[in-house]
Short mmCIF file of all heavy atoms in Angstrom, two decimals:
data_model
loop_
_atom_site.label_atom_id
_atom_site.label_comp_id
_atom_site.label_asym_id
_atom_site.label_seq_id
_atom_site.Cartn_x
_atom_site.Cartn_y
_atom_site.Cartn_z
N MET B 474 -43.47 95.26 114.63
CA MET B 474 -44.05 96.41 115.10
C MET B 474 -43.24 97.66 114.70
O MET B 474 -42.07 97.69 114.88
CB MET B 474 -44.15 96.37 116.68
CG MET B 474 -45.06 97.47 117.21
SD MET B 474 -45.06 97.43 119.03
CE MET B 474 -45.88 95.98 119.37
N LEU B 475 -43.84 98.61 114.02
CA LEU B 475 -43.17 99.81 113.54
C LEU B 475 -43.60 101.04 114.36
O LEU B 475 -44.79 101.17 114.68
CB LEU B 475 -43.49 100.03 112.08
CG LEU B 475 -43.21 98.92 111.11
CD1 LEU B 475 -43.46 99.35 109.67
CD2 LEU B 475 -41.75 98.45 111.24
N LEU B 476 -42.71 101.90 114.70
CA LEU B 476 -43.02 103.14 115.41
C LEU B 476 -42.69 104.37 114.55
O LEU B 476 -41.69 104.38 113.79
CB LEU B 476 -42.08 103.22 116.66
CG LEU B 476 -42.13 102.12 117.67
CD1 LEU B 476 -41.29 102.47 118.89
CD2 LEU B 476 -43.55 101.83 118.09
N ALA B 477 -43.54 105.33 114.66
CA ALA B 477 -43.38 106.61 113.86
C ALA B 477 -42.12 107.33 114.39
O ALA B 477 -41.69 107.16 115.45
CB ALA B 477 -44.58 107.47 114.07
N PRO B 478 -41.55 108.09 113.43
CA PRO B 478 -40.36 108.89 113.79
C PRO B 478 -40.40 109.60 115.12
O PRO B 478 -39.56 109.54 115.99
CB PRO B 478 -40.20 109.95 112.66
CG PRO B 478 -40.87 109.19 111.45
CD PRO B 478 -41.93 108.40 112.03
N LYS B 479 -41.56 110.31 115.41
CA LYS B 479 -41.67 111.10 116.61
C LYS B 479 -41.88 110.23 117.85
O LYS B 479 -41.74 110.75 118.95
CB LYS B 479 -42.87 112.11 116.49
CG LYS B 479 -44.21 111.41 116.39
CD LYS B 479 -45.37 112.45 116.37
CE LYS B 479 -46.64 111.69 116.20
NZ LYS B 479 -47.81 112.43 115.77
N ARG B 480 -42.08 108.94 117.72
CA ARG B 480 -42.23 108.04 118.84
C ARG B 480 -41.02 107.19 119.14
O ARG B 480 -40.96 106.44 120.11
CB ARG B 480 -43.45 107.09 118.73
CG ARG B 480 -44.78 107.76 118.55
CD ARG B 480 -45.19 108.43 119.85
NE ARG B 480 -46.43 109.13 119.65
CZ ARG B 480 -46.90 110.11 120.46
NH1 ARG B 480 -46.21 110.40 121.52
NH2 ARG B 480 -48.07 110.69 120.16
N ALA B 481 -39.98 107.44 118.32
CA ALA B 481 -38.78 106.60 118.41
C ALA B 481 -38.23 106.67 119.85
O ALA B 481 -37.76 105.62 120.36
CB ALA B 481 -37.68 107.08 117.46
N GLY B 482 -38.23 107.76 120.49
CA GLY B 482 -37.61 107.87 121.86
C GLY B 482 -38.58 107.90 122.94
O GLY B 482 -38.30 108.34 124.06
N ASP B 483 -39.87 107.53 122.68
CA ASP B 483 -40.86 107.57 123.69
C ASP B 483 -40.83 106.40 124.60
O ASP B 483 -41.31 105.30 124.31
CB ASP B 483 -42.22 107.67 122.94
CG ASP B 483 -43.40 107.92 123.97
OD1 ASP B 483 -43.28 107.57 125.16
OD2 ASP B 483 -44.38 108.59 123.51
N GLU B 484 -40.17 106.58 125.79
CA GLU B 484 -39.88 105.39 126.61
C GLU B 484 -41.15 104.79 127.27
O GLU B 484 -41.22 103.57 127.36
CB GLU B 484 -38.89 105.79 127.71
CG GLU B 484 -37.51 105.97 127.25
CD GLU B 484 -36.93 104.92 126.35
OE1 GLU B 484 -37.30 103.68 126.60
OE2 GLU B 484 -36.14 105.16 125.39
N THR B 485 -42.07 105.65 127.56
CA THR B 485 -43.34 105.12 128.20
C THR B 485 -44.10 104.18 127.16
O THR B 485 -44.52 103.08 127.53
CB THR B 485 -44.28 106.23 128.50
OG1 THR B 485 -43.52 107.40 128.84
CG2 THR B 485 -45.21 105.86 129.67
N LEU B 486 -44.06 104.64 125.96
CA LEU B 486 -44.75 103.86 124.89
C LEU B 486 -43.98 102.57 124.65
O LEU B 486 -44.59 101.56 124.59
CB LEU B 486 -44.84 104.75 123.62
CG LEU B 486 -45.42 104.05 122.37
CD1 LEU B 486 -46.38 105.02 121.70
CD2 LEU B 486 -44.33 103.65 121.38
N ARG B 487 -42.70 102.64 124.58
CA ARG B 487 -41.89 101.48 124.39
C ARG B 487 -42.11 100.50 125.45
O ARG B 487 -42.32 99.24 125.20
CB ARG B 487 -40.43 101.83 124.29
CG ARG B 487 -39.97 102.42 122.91
CD ARG B 487 -38.57 103.00 123.00
NE ARG B 487 -38.07 103.31 121.69
CZ ARG B 487 -37.25 102.50 120.95
NH1 ARG B 487 -36.83 101.34 121.49
NH2 ARG B 487 -36.81 102.84 119.76
N ALA B 488 -42.08 100.99 126.64
CA ALA B 488 -42.24 100.07 127.81
C ALA B 488 -43.63 99.44 127.84
O ALA B 488 -43.77 98.25 128.15
CB ALA B 488 -42.06 100.83 129.10
N ALA B 489 -44.64 100.13 127.35
CA ALA B 489 -45.99 99.57 127.37
C ALA B 489 -46.10 98.50 126.30
O ALA B 489 -46.84 97.57 126.45
CB ALA B 489 -46.96 100.68 127.09
N LEU B 490 -45.44 98.62 125.18
CA LEU B 490 -45.60 97.72 124.08
C LEU B 490 -44.56 96.56 124.09
O LEU B 490 -44.76 95.51 123.44
CB LEU B 490 -45.58 98.46 122.71
CG LEU B 490 -46.70 99.46 122.56
CD1 LEU B 490 -46.52 100.18 121.23
CD2 LEU B 490 -48.09 98.78 122.59
N GLN B 491 -43.51 96.78 124.80
CA GLN B 491 -42.34 95.79 124.88
C GLN B 491 -42.88 94.41 125.19
O GLN B 491 -42.48 93.38 124.53
CB GLN B 491 -41.38 96.25 125.91
CG GLN B 491 -40.18 95.33 126.09
CD GLN B 491 -39.15 95.44 124.85
OE1 GLN B 491 -38.81 96.59 124.49
NE2 GLN B 491 -38.83 94.33 124.34
N PRO B 492 -43.84 94.18 126.17
CA PRO B 492 -44.29 92.89 126.54
C PRO B 492 -44.92 92.09 125.44
O PRO B 492 -45.09 90.86 125.53
CB PRO B 492 -45.26 93.15 127.65
CG PRO B 492 -45.02 94.52 128.15
CD PRO B 492 -44.41 95.22 127.04
N LEU B 493 -45.25 92.79 124.33
CA LEU B 493 -45.91 91.99 123.27
C LEU B 493 -44.93 91.38 122.30
O LEU B 493 -45.22 90.42 121.58
CB LEU B 493 -46.83 92.95 122.39
CG LEU B 493 -47.95 93.61 123.20
CD1 LEU B 493 -48.78 94.54 122.29
CD2 LEU B 493 -48.87 92.55 123.79
N LEU B 494 -43.68 91.92 122.31
CA LEU B 494 -42.64 91.47 121.36
C LEU B 494 -42.21 90.02 121.68
O LEU B 494 -41.94 89.72 122.84
CB LEU B 494 -41.49 92.42 121.31
CG LEU B 494 -41.83 93.83 120.93
CD1 LEU B 494 -40.59 94.75 120.96
CD2 LEU B 494 -42.47 93.90 119.55
N GLY B 495 -42.20 89.19 120.66
CA GLY B 495 -41.74 87.81 120.79
C GLY B 495 -42.74 86.93 121.55
O GLY B 495 -42.40 85.81 121.88
N ARG B 496 -43.87 87.46 121.89
CA ARG B 496 -44.77 86.70 122.80
C ARG B 496 -46.01 86.14 122.06
O ARG B 496 -46.84 85.52 122.67
CB ARG B 496 -45.29 87.59 123.95
CG ARG B 496 -44.14 88.22 124.74
CD ARG B 496 -43.33 87.18 125.48
NE ARG B 496 -44.17 86.56 126.60
CZ ARG B 496 -44.25 87.12 127.75
NH1 ARG B 496 -43.67 88.25 128.05
NH2 ARG B 496 -45.01 86.54 128.67
N ILE B 497 -46.09 86.44 120.82
CA ILE B 497 -47.36 85.94 120.10
C ILE B 497 -46.87 84.94 119.10
O ILE B 497 -46.35 85.29 118.01
CB ILE B 497 -48.09 87.11 119.42
CG1 ILE B 497 -48.44 88.18 120.48
CG2 ILE B 497 -49.29 86.66 118.71
CD1 ILE B 497 -48.98 89.46 119.93
N ASP B 498 -47.11 83.67 119.35
CA ASP B 498 -46.69 82.66 118.35
C ASP B 498 -47.80 82.34 117.45
O ASP B 498 -48.99 82.76 117.60
CB ASP B 498 -46.15 81.45 119.09
CG ASP B 498 -47.16 80.82 120.01
OD1 ASP B 498 -48.32 81.20 119.89
OD2 ASP B 498 -46.77 79.97 120.86
N LEU B 499 -47.51 81.46 116.44
CA LEU B 499 -48.46 81.18 115.38
C LEU B 499 -49.79 80.58 115.94
O LEU B 499 -50.89 81.08 115.55
CB LEU B 499 -47.90 80.36 114.28
CG LEU B 499 -48.72 80.17 112.96
CD1 LEU B 499 -48.98 81.51 112.40
CD2 LEU B 499 -48.02 79.25 112.07
N PRO B 500 -49.73 79.55 116.83
CA PRO B 500 -50.97 78.96 117.36
C PRO B 500 -51.78 80.02 118.05
O PRO B 500 -53.05 80.07 117.87
CB PRO B 500 -50.44 77.85 118.30
CG PRO B 500 -49.09 77.57 117.85
CD PRO B 500 -48.49 78.83 117.27
N LEU B 501 -51.15 80.93 118.85
CA LEU B 501 -51.97 81.88 119.58
C LEU B 501 -52.67 82.79 118.59
O LEU B 501 -53.86 83.18 118.76
CB LEU B 501 -51.03 82.69 120.49
CG LEU B 501 -51.70 83.83 121.27
CD1 LEU B 501 -52.79 83.28 122.19
CD2 LEU B 501 -50.66 84.65 122.10
N MET B 502 -51.89 83.29 117.59
CA MET B 502 -52.55 84.21 116.58
C MET B 502 -53.63 83.51 115.81
O MET B 502 -54.69 84.09 115.64
CB MET B 502 -51.44 84.76 115.68
CG MET B 502 -51.88 85.98 114.87
SD MET B 502 -52.13 87.42 115.99
CE MET B 502 -53.82 87.79 115.65
N ARG B 503 -53.38 82.24 115.45
CA ARG B 503 -54.41 81.54 114.76
C ARG B 503 -55.67 81.41 115.58
O ARG B 503 -56.85 81.64 115.11
CB ARG B 503 -53.99 80.11 114.41
CG ARG B 503 -53.26 80.08 113.07
CD ARG B 503 -53.19 78.64 112.63
NE ARG B 503 -52.33 78.54 111.38
CZ ARG B 503 -51.83 77.44 110.88
NH1 ARG B 503 -52.06 76.29 111.55
NH2 ARG B 503 -51.13 77.47 109.77
N GLU B 504 -55.55 81.14 116.85
CA GLU B 504 -56.67 80.94 117.67
C GLU B 504 -57.42 82.27 117.84
O GLU B 504 -58.66 82.32 117.83
CB GLU B 504 -56.38 80.31 119.03
CG GLU B 504 -57.63 79.79 119.70
CD GLU B 504 -57.32 79.10 121.03
OE1 GLU B 504 -56.17 78.71 121.33
OE2 GLU B 504 -58.40 78.92 121.74
N ALA B 505 -56.59 83.28 118.03
CA ALA B 505 -57.22 84.59 118.14
C ALA B 505 -58.01 84.98 116.94
O ALA B 505 -59.16 85.45 117.00
CB ALA B 505 -56.15 85.66 118.42
N ASN B 506 -57.41 84.70 115.80
CA ASN B 506 -58.14 84.99 114.50
C ASN B 506 -59.41 84.21 114.43
O ASN B 506 -60.44 84.70 113.95
CB ASN B 506 -57.25 84.77 113.31
CG ASN B 506 -56.19 85.88 113.10
OD1 ASN B 506 -56.43 87.00 113.52
ND2 ASN B 506 -55.06 85.53 112.57
N LEU B 507 -59.35 82.91 114.83
CA LEU B 507 -60.49 82.10 114.78
C LEU B 507 -61.62 82.65 115.68
O LEU B 507 -62.82 82.70 115.33
CB LEU B 507 -60.18 80.67 115.19
CG LEU B 507 -61.29 79.66 114.98
CD1 LEU B 507 -61.76 79.65 113.50
CD2 LEU B 507 -60.81 78.26 115.42
N ARG B 508 -61.24 83.06 116.86
CA ARG B 508 -62.16 83.56 117.81
C ARG B 508 -62.87 84.83 117.18
O ARG B 508 -64.07 85.02 117.34
CB ARG B 508 -61.48 84.02 119.14
CG ARG B 508 -61.28 82.85 120.03
CD ARG B 508 -60.49 83.29 121.23
NE ARG B 508 -60.43 82.10 122.14
CZ ARG B 508 -61.24 81.95 123.22
NH1 ARG B 508 -62.08 82.90 123.56
NH2 ARG B 508 -61.18 80.88 123.92
N ALA B 509 -62.03 85.64 116.63
CA ALA B 509 -62.63 86.90 116.09
C ALA B 509 -63.47 86.66 114.88
O ALA B 509 -64.35 87.43 114.54
CB ALA B 509 -61.50 87.90 115.66
N ALA B 510 -63.31 85.52 114.21
CA ALA B 510 -64.17 85.12 113.11
C ALA B 510 -65.53 84.67 113.49
O ALA B 510 -66.41 84.50 112.71
CB ALA B 510 -63.48 84.12 112.18
N GLY B 511 -65.59 84.34 114.79
CA GLY B 511 -66.86 83.94 115.33
C GLY B 511 -67.90 85.01 115.24
O GLY B 511 -67.61 86.13 114.85
N ASN B 512 -69.13 84.64 115.52
CA ASN B 512 -70.15 85.61 115.31
C ASN B 512 -70.97 85.85 116.57
O ASN B 512 -72.16 85.98 116.60
CB ASN B 512 -71.05 85.17 114.14
CG ASN B 512 -71.69 86.31 113.55
OD1 ASN B 512 -71.34 87.48 113.76
ND2 ASN B 512 -72.70 86.07 112.70
N ASP B 513 -70.23 85.85 117.68
CA ASP B 513 -70.94 85.98 118.96
C ASP B 513 -70.38 87.18 119.72
O ASP B 513 -69.50 87.93 119.26
CB ASP B 513 -70.93 84.75 119.79
CG ASP B 513 -69.43 84.33 120.04
OD1 ASP B 513 -68.61 85.18 120.34
OD2 ASP B 513 -69.16 83.11 119.88
N ALA B 514 -70.84 87.31 120.95
CA ALA B 514 -70.52 88.53 121.72
C ALA B 514 -69.02 88.60 122.08
O ALA B 514 -68.55 89.71 122.25
CB ALA B 514 -71.33 88.51 122.97
N THR B 515 -68.38 87.48 122.15
CA THR B 515 -66.95 87.55 122.61
C THR B 515 -65.99 87.66 121.40
O THR B 515 -64.82 87.53 121.51
CB THR B 515 -66.59 86.30 123.37
OG1 THR B 515 -66.83 85.17 122.56
CG2 THR B 515 -67.32 86.27 124.71
N SER B 516 -66.56 87.90 120.23
CA SER B 516 -65.74 87.87 119.09
C SER B 516 -65.29 89.27 118.58
O SER B 516 -64.67 89.41 117.53
CB SER B 516 -66.45 87.18 117.87
OG SER B 516 -67.54 87.88 117.45
N SER B 517 -65.55 90.28 119.34
CA SER B 517 -65.12 91.64 118.95
C SER B 517 -63.59 91.68 119.15
O SER B 517 -62.99 91.00 119.98
CB SER B 517 -65.78 92.73 119.81
OG SER B 517 -65.22 92.70 121.06
N PRO B 518 -62.92 92.48 118.29
CA PRO B 518 -61.48 92.56 118.36
C PRO B 518 -60.99 92.91 119.85
O PRO B 518 -60.01 92.39 120.30
CB PRO B 518 -61.10 93.69 117.43
CG PRO B 518 -62.18 93.66 116.40
CD PRO B 518 -63.40 93.25 117.10
N GLU B 519 -61.79 93.76 120.48
CA GLU B 519 -61.43 94.17 121.84
C GLU B 519 -61.39 92.98 122.83
O GLU B 519 -60.45 92.79 123.58
CB GLU B 519 -62.35 95.28 122.37
CG GLU B 519 -62.19 96.61 121.73
CD GLU B 519 -62.86 96.81 120.39
OE1 GLU B 519 -63.63 95.85 119.99
OE2 GLU B 519 -62.60 97.73 119.64
N SER B 520 -62.47 92.13 122.74
CA SER B 520 -62.54 91.09 123.68
C SER B 520 -61.44 90.00 123.34
O SER B 520 -60.87 89.42 124.24
CB SER B 520 -63.90 90.50 123.90
OG SER B 520 -64.69 90.69 122.79
N VAL B 521 -61.25 89.81 122.03
CA VAL B 521 -60.21 88.85 121.63
C VAL B 521 -58.88 89.32 122.11
O VAL B 521 -58.00 88.56 122.58
CB VAL B 521 -60.19 88.55 120.14
CG1 VAL B 521 -59.10 87.66 119.73
CG2 VAL B 521 -61.56 87.94 119.68
N ALA B 522 -58.61 90.62 122.00
CA ALA B 522 -57.34 91.20 122.41
C ALA B 522 -57.19 91.01 123.90
O ALA B 522 -56.08 90.66 124.40
CB ALA B 522 -57.23 92.73 122.09
N ARG B 523 -58.26 91.18 124.69
CA ARG B 523 -58.16 90.95 126.17
C ARG B 523 -57.78 89.48 126.44
O ARG B 523 -56.95 89.18 127.28
CB ARG B 523 -59.47 91.38 126.78
CG ARG B 523 -59.50 92.76 127.38
CD ARG B 523 -60.73 93.17 128.01
NE ARG B 523 -61.35 94.26 127.21
CZ ARG B 523 -62.50 94.22 126.61
NH1 ARG B 523 -63.29 93.11 126.60
NH2 ARG B 523 -62.92 95.22 125.90
N TRP B 524 -58.46 88.62 125.67
CA TRP B 524 -58.24 87.17 125.90
C TRP B 524 -56.73 86.89 125.53
O TRP B 524 -56.04 86.16 126.29
CB TRP B 524 -59.17 86.39 124.88
CG TRP B 524 -58.84 84.97 124.83
CD1 TRP B 524 -59.23 83.93 125.67
CD2 TRP B 524 -57.98 84.30 123.79
NE1 TRP B 524 -58.76 82.73 125.25
CE2 TRP B 524 -57.97 82.96 124.11
CE3 TRP B 524 -57.28 84.77 122.75
CZ2 TRP B 524 -57.21 82.01 123.35
CZ3 TRP B 524 -56.51 83.89 122.01
CH2 TRP B 524 -56.49 82.50 122.27
N MET B 525 -56.21 87.44 124.49
CA MET B 525 -54.83 87.26 124.04
C MET B 525 -53.90 87.72 125.20
O MET B 525 -52.87 87.09 125.53
CB MET B 525 -54.42 88.08 122.82
CG MET B 525 -54.78 87.32 121.56
SD MET B 525 -54.21 88.35 120.17
CE MET B 525 -52.61 87.64 119.81
N TRP B 526 -54.20 88.85 125.84
CA TRP B 526 -53.32 89.41 126.86
C TRP B 526 -53.26 88.47 128.04
O TRP B 526 -52.17 88.26 128.67
CB TRP B 526 -53.77 90.81 127.29
CG TRP B 526 -52.93 91.38 128.36
CD1 TRP B 526 -53.24 91.73 129.62
CD2 TRP B 526 -51.46 91.65 128.28
NE1 TRP B 526 -52.22 92.19 130.32
CE2 TRP B 526 -51.08 92.15 129.54
CE3 TRP B 526 -50.56 91.55 127.21
CZ2 TRP B 526 -49.78 92.51 129.80
CZ3 TRP B 526 -49.20 91.91 127.54
CH2 TRP B 526 -48.85 92.39 128.74
N GLU B 527 -54.41 87.90 128.35
CA GLU B 527 -54.38 86.90 129.45
C GLU B 527 -53.51 85.72 129.15
O GLU B 527 -52.70 85.30 129.93
CB GLU B 527 -55.86 86.34 129.62
CG GLU B 527 -56.65 87.09 130.60
CD GLU B 527 -58.08 86.61 130.70
OE1 GLU B 527 -58.24 85.32 130.58
OE2 GLU B 527 -58.99 87.39 130.78
#
Side-chain angles (χ1 to χ4, degrees):
Chain B
M474 193 185 291
L475 304 182
L476 304 184
K479 64 175 178 197
R480 298 292 177 196
D483 188 331
E484 289 309 327
T485 330
L486 177 136
R487 281 171 170 260
L490 297 177
Q491 181 74 48
L493 299 179
L494 298 180
R496 305 293 293 276
I497 303 172
D498 58 14
L499 191 59
L501 178 61
M502 196 65 239
R503 270 195 187 166
E504 196 177 345
N506 282 333
L507 186 59
R508 281 175 172 260
N512 206 11
D513 57 45
T515 57
S516 67
S517 75
E519 289 80 11
S520 24
V521 176
R523 262 177 247 120
W524 170 86
M525 273 183 98
W526 180 243
E527 269 176 37

